[in-house]
Amino acid sequence: MRKDLARHFNDYLQKQHGKDGSQAGSAQDIAAAFIEYIETRYPTAFRKNLVRESVIQEFVDSKYANLIKPTRDRRTELLKQFQAFVRRRWLVRWFGLASAVIASTIGFIITVSSLGQALGLSPDWWLPPPIGTLVAQIRATATLTPSPTLTVTPSPAPPPIPVFRRVIDNYDTAGYSKQTPLLRDSEGNFTLFIRNNLTGQLAVIFSSNAGLNWSQPLDIDTILPQPHVSAAIDRSNQIHFVWGVVPDPGDLNYGLIRDGELIERETLGSGVFARDIAIDSANRPHVVWTATDVQYMRFDGTRWLTPESVGTGMWHPDIQLDAQDNVYIFGNTAQFFPESSVQTAVFNNSQRTWGLDILSNSQFWSAGAAAMIDSTGNIDVFWFGVNSIQGGDNFLYFTRNVKGIWQAPFQLDFVYTTTGTTGQESPAVGIDANDIVYVVWRGFNDRSRPVIYARCFIPNNGWLPRITLDDRAAVDVGWPAIADTREEYRVSGVDIVWPILTGTMTVINLTHFDCLK
């Protein structure tokens, strides 16, 4: 069967991409690499002949349509394409760049001593250099030595999958842009904003025992067709929140909850598409939203100040404040796919004037950005995007600001589906008491089931493999969120909430995810 499979792959390559025979050697090399990789890594699938010619044809058609006689750089590019394809078809547990197994069969060897050294890079390879120098660093530090052998050290094991429980039936949470429906106070009590998906009633519920039991809903407003809610907690355990209707422009509403009661509500603006809120060290709210421009407004302790126009063309904002109350506003310039010259950017007023930092400048589409700031002032930013003008499956991208310098962004993980065409969806981000960074997003698993994915980065250790939160009752999942809490209230791990559709009703799930347990 090995010879038969190799013949099919080789014949197809030559027939479609080497009619004059000039590429026969290249086709044979790639065919041999394909077979050896499958035989070595997936012996069960190979024995059962699960690798069909139709799969090979699809692989070649979709990835090698413009195959030329490979140079070393071209082969490296083709291998990256092959990795992505195999990962989706056979869904192995990925060891970062350890899938360079194929490289050894085409005349290269990459010795993988750890997840952080997949290309011979230093242990802090995950932290790229300043923008514009990433390619130069990889070429300068990677060690590619011709060899017929391969040494692979397995990556760290994924953390345990946490147990999740249902919170409430026939309710869901908001799903649009940056949204924060769940909060944890200084005593570990939860506040959760929910929406009755039958009546459109926006409400809030409370739990004093880590989500085991919840109060009756406290009604806030009636929002149809869909609400957008973002909330934050202050040092007095008061809940500040903004809300309104989506996806069409609506009002910017502000509310304040103290001791389980809604004590204040007012309308701050209109014609708003997305909203977010953060609280400073003096318990004063800062609000950002998008209309025609990115608008920012803060409360000075006695009144709301006049809104400021921060910039134009930015959508789905996320606002963060550091320990010095400097304001950072994250977003992107893409609204609909396809959009050219997409920028993921941050406005900051650390100098008390608004500056603009471009985090990613791409010719392809990207979605909303989400950020968090750790106890040392490092800023972690995540967003979704595609890497081709044709669109297709989305990827999760990541960058970090260390000591005031933005690092070059890179592709961290996969979504296995598209997050939409309007750029409105953001991953959920959180940081715990150990400064471990958590990112959570929704996607598809190997059975095309909608699931929630989660990963965490442990300082001085690196990214752990992702875990999957799969509610077998779900026929669809909504956007996940990580609980907002003050830095001084953080615990080990983060609290994650997400809605699911069971086919007959929507329910809300809750779990606590701790990478160290």
Side-chain angles (χ1 to χ4, degrees):
M1 189 194 72
R2 186 182 194 278
K3 293 181 179 179
D4 187 54
L5 193 59
R7 178 177 56 80
H8 283 313
F9 191 25
N10 188 47
D11 289 349
Y12 189 78
L13 275 174
Q14 293 185 52
K15 179 175 65 176
Q16 297 295 326
H17 308 289
K19 293 181 180 180
D20 61 355
S22 63
Q23 298 167 17
S26 301
Q28 291 167 356
D29 284 347
I30 299 173
F34 179 91
I35 299 304
E36 184 166 344
Y37 184 73
I38 294 298
E39 186 179 32
T40 302
R41 298 286 288 162
Y42 314 108
T44 301
F46 191 85
R47 286 196 303 271
K48 293 182 179 180
N49 196 19
L50 299 180
V51 187
R52 305 294 183 184
E53 183 178 1
S54 59
V55 174
I56 297 172
Q57 291 177 350
E58 181 183 350
F59 170 47
V60 176
D61 276 340
S62 61
K63 299 301 182 183
Y64 289 175
N66 298 313
L67 183 66
I68 61 174
K69 191 170 184 177
T71 61
R72 174 174 295 192
D73 290 341
R74 179 57 175 160
R75 285 182 174 180
T76 301
E77 179 185 347
L78 295 178
L79 290 175
K80 290 180 180 178
Q81 296 173 353
F82 180 84
Q83 293 167 8
F85 177 83
V86 170
R87 190 170 193 270
R88 294 186 59 193
R89 285 299 175 206
W90 290 277
L91 291 125
V92 299
R93 190 166 296 279
W94 208 240
F95 297 137
L97 297 178
S99 60
V101 171
I102 310 172
S104 66
T105 68
I106 312 182
F108 300 103
I109 175 171
I110 298 178
T111 300
V112 183
S113 60
S114 70
L115 180 64
Q117 296 174 334
L119 277 176
L121 305 180
S122 60
D124 61 350
W125 72 275
W126 72 274
L127 188 62
I131 292 174
T133 63
L134 179 62
V135 174
Q137 176 178 322
I138 291 179
R139 289 178 177 172
T141 58
T143 301
L144 300 176
T145 305
S147 172
T149 62
L150 175 72
T151 302
V152 176
T153 300
S155 66
I161 298 176
V163 176
F164 53 86
R165 65 175 66 92
R166 291 189 175 181
V167 173
I168 190 170
D169 295 342
N170 292 317
Y171 282 82
D172 59 16
T173 56
Y176 185 86
S177 191
K178 167 69 184 302
Q179 45 101 15
T180 311
L182 180 65
L183 304 103
R184 171 191 280 267
D185 69 14
S186 61
E187 299 175 353
N189 300 318
F190 287 153
T191 298
L192 177 62
F193 290 88
I194 58 177
R195 194 275 303 256
N196 186 309
N197 62 335
L198 299 177
T199 67
Q201 187 68 36
L202 178 66
V204 62
I205 55 178
F206 308 94
S207 174
S208 59
N209 57 3
L212 292 175
N213 304 103
W214 293 85
S215 69
Q216 290 298 311
L218 170 65
D219 290 340
I220 302 293
D221 198 357
T222 300
I223 297 292
L224 291 172
Q226 183 180 356
H228 177 224
V229 181
S230 187
I233 191 168
D234 68 22
R235 289 182 168 179
S236 300
N237 286 335
Q238 298 180 121
I239 307 299
H240 305 252
F241 64 105
V242 288
W243 79 95
V245 66
V246 292
D248 297 324
D251 290 340
L252 171 63
N253 301 298
Y254 166 80
L256 179 64
I257 294 176
R258 179 188 301 157
D259 297 328
E261 295 185 7
L262 179 64
I263 64 171
E264 183 180 342
R265 61 175 292 172
E266 58 182 310
T267 300
L268 303 180
S270 60
V272 176
F273 287 92
R275 316 144 183 86
D276 197 23
I277 188 170
I279 310 300
D280 66 22
S281 58
N283 287 352
R284 297 171 299 199
H286 298 242
V287 177
V288 65
W289 69 96
T290 50
T292 303
D293 303 331
V294 177
Q295 299 284 325
Y296 163 77
M297 182 167 58
R298 66 183 178 90
F299 189 74
D300 70 354
T302 58
R303 63 187 178 90
W304 288 98
L305 301 183
T306 303
E308 301 178 46
S309 178
V310 176
T312 60
M314 188 71 68
W315 296 89
H316 312 295
D318 174 15
I319 185 171
Q320 299 290 326
L321 274 61
D322 66 14
Q324 290 74 43
D325 290 336
N326 296 314
V327 181
Y328 299 84
I329 300 173
F330 304 85
N332 69 46
T333 59
Q335 183 185 9
F336 295 102
F337 173 83
E339 182 87 2
S340 60
S341 300
V342 172
Q343 294 177 338
T344 301
V346 54
F347 294 103
N348 76 81
N349 73 338
S350 57
Q351 305 299 321
R352 295 300 179 253
T353 58
W354 291 106
L356 175 64
D357 294 316
I358 305 299
L359 307 184
S360 174
N361 206 351
S362 170
Q363 67 186 88
F364 309 126
W365 173 90
S366 67
M372 284 294 290
I373 302 176
D374 68 19
S375 64
T376 66
N378 295 327
I379 307 173
D380 299 289
V381 189
F382 301 82
W383 66 93
F384 297 122
V386 296
N387 59 12
S388 71
I389 195 63
Q390 290 79 20
D393 287 357
N394 293 173
F395 301 95
L396 179 66
Y397 290 88
F398 167 68
T399 187
R400 168 176 267 206
N401 183 294
V402 179
K403 298 180 180 179
I405 299 176
W406 286 105
Q407 310 299 317
F410 66 95
Q411 180 184 316
L412 177 65
D413 216 308
F414 297 78
V415 182
Y416 302 115
T417 184
T418 175
T419 58
T421 61
T422 62
Q424 66 190 29
E425 184 164 356
S426 303
V429 186
I431 295 178
D432 73 2
N434 305 301
D435 271 345
I436 295 176
V437 181
Y438 294 79
V439 58
V440 183
W441 69 101
R442 64 175 180 168
F444 282 167
N445 68 5
D446 58 340
R447 294 177 296 280
S448 297
R449 283 182 42 75
V451 296
I452 300 298
Y453 288 123
R455 288 192 69 172
C456 55
F457 172 79
I458 301 178
N460 302 318
N461 193 10
W463 285 100
L464 296 187
R466 72 167 179 267
I467 64 165
T468 302
L469 302 175
D470 184 5
D471 189 329
R472 300 303 176 87
V475 297
D476 198 5
V477 297
W479 298 8
I482 293 178
D484 180 79
T485 191
R486 303 287 304 181
E487 180 182 323
E488 55 268 32
Y489 302 166
R490 291 172 181 168
V491 297
S492 183
V494 295
D495 305 293
I496 304 170
V497 64
W498 72 99
I500 69 165
L501 176 64
T502 66
T504 59
M505 63 180 176
T506 56
V507 299
I508 299 174
N509 285 336
L510 170 72
T511 192
H512 184 81
F513 178 34
D514 189 344
C515 280
L516 299 183
K517 291 185 178 179

